[in-house]
């Protein structure tokens, strides 16, 4: 991820030095978006640092796909255009997903995304209640929604370690969802 960011910064600088009047940074995956606030004193706000660095390198506008948080727009000194991949992904899922399936948010942060997918697919939503124990360890125990005997489609905007997805799938299976799980 870091080397791609440096490559983008170098391209922006080259465009600026080459006389470009404007430059738009198109970032399909804004990898530092999860760092959108300080968890404790002394932590960096990575998304703000990256946004400021893009602007310093010459970006006048930023286009991102499904950022982890809409707060990214407020952190940027430049205009931000947010695109979504949900229609394309939901259309692809529609071809493979039975109408008895349920769309599952693996945590509260993914509820809006799950509802967006479910709305396009005409399916109900379930939510897994998760608690993060550490950076890599999560605990999931409850599911809100009807999942018994249904295939599940788990949607999340970002997977770093896979811990949230693994915990969600384990809980879904333990509570009666079919083993036919799509992530």
């Amino acid at each position: 991820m870091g080397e791609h960011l440096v490559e983008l910064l170098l391209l922006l600088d080259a465009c600026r030095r080459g006389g470009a009047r404007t430059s738009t940074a198109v970032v399909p995956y804004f990898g530092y978006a999860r760092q959108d606030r300080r968890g404790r004193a002394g932590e960096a706000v990575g998304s703000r640092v990256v946004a400021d660095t893009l602007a310093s390198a010459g970006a006048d506008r930023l286009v991102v796909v499904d950022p982890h948080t809409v707060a990214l727009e407020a952190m940027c000194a430049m205009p931000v255009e947010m695109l979504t991949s949900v229609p394309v992904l939901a259309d692809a899922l529609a071809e493979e997903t039975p109408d008895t399936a349920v769309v599952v948010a693996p945590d509260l942060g993914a509820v809006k995304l799950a509802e967006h997918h479910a709305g396009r697919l005409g399916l109900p939503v379930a939510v897994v209640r998760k608690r993060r124990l550490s950076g890599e360890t999560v605990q999931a125990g409850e599911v809100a929604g009807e999942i018994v005997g249904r295939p599940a489609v788990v949607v999340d905007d970002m997977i770093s370690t896979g811990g949230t997805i693994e915990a969600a799938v384990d809980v879904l299976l333990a509570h009666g969802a079919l083993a036919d799980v799509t992530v």
Side-chain angles (χ1 to χ4, degrees):
M1 175 172 47
E3 75 181 59
H4 297 294
L5 175 60
V6 171
E7 185 176 2
L8 175 59
L9 294 171
L10 294 173
L11 286 168
L12 287 167
D13 183 68
C15 290
R16 183 174 47 94
R17 290 174 189 276
R21 283 186 280 177
T22 63
S23 294
T24 299
V26 179
V27 182
Y29 172 66
F30 197 94
Y32 296 90
R34 178 175 280 172
Q35 297 170 327
D36 60 344
R37 63 188 171 278
R38 292 180 355 164
R40 59 187 111 100
E43 282 186 336
V45 181
S47 54
R48 177 65 189 256
V49 171
V50 171
D52 289 348
T53 305
L54 290 171
S56 294
D60 301 298
R61 185 169 169 250
L62 177 63
V63 176
V64 296
V65 179
D66 292 320
H68 185 65
T69 177
V70 294
L72 179 63
E73 186 172 23
M75 289 179 218
C76 293
M78 68 189 91
V80 178
E81 183 72 29
M82 296 185 196
L83 306 177
T84 182
S85 61
V86 171
V88 173
L89 294 173
D91 288 349
L93 281 169
E95 297 174 14
E96 305 292 326
T97 305
D99 58 3
T100 58
V102 59
V103 177
V104 179
D107 58 25
L108 292 175
V111 171
K112 284 181 79 171
L113 181 61
E115 288 173 341
H116 196 175
H117 277 281
R120 290 194 65 91
L121 294 168
L123 297 173
V125 174
V127 180
V128 173
R129 183 172 174 170
K130 170 195 93 168
R131 192 172 65 133
R132 184 165 294 283
L133 303 175
S134 72
E136 296 86 31
T137 308
V138 298
Q139 181 181 49
E142 301 172 28
V143 179
E146 296 295 322
I147 62 163
V148 176
R150 293 175 164 235
V153 177
V154 181
V155 296
D156 206 351
D157 68 330
M158 187 179 292
I159 299 175
S160 296
T161 65
T164 296
I165 298 297
E166 180 183 17
V169 170
D170 289 346
V171 166
L172 291 170
L173 296 176
H175 284 84
L178 295 180
D180 182 16
V181 177
T182 301
V183 177

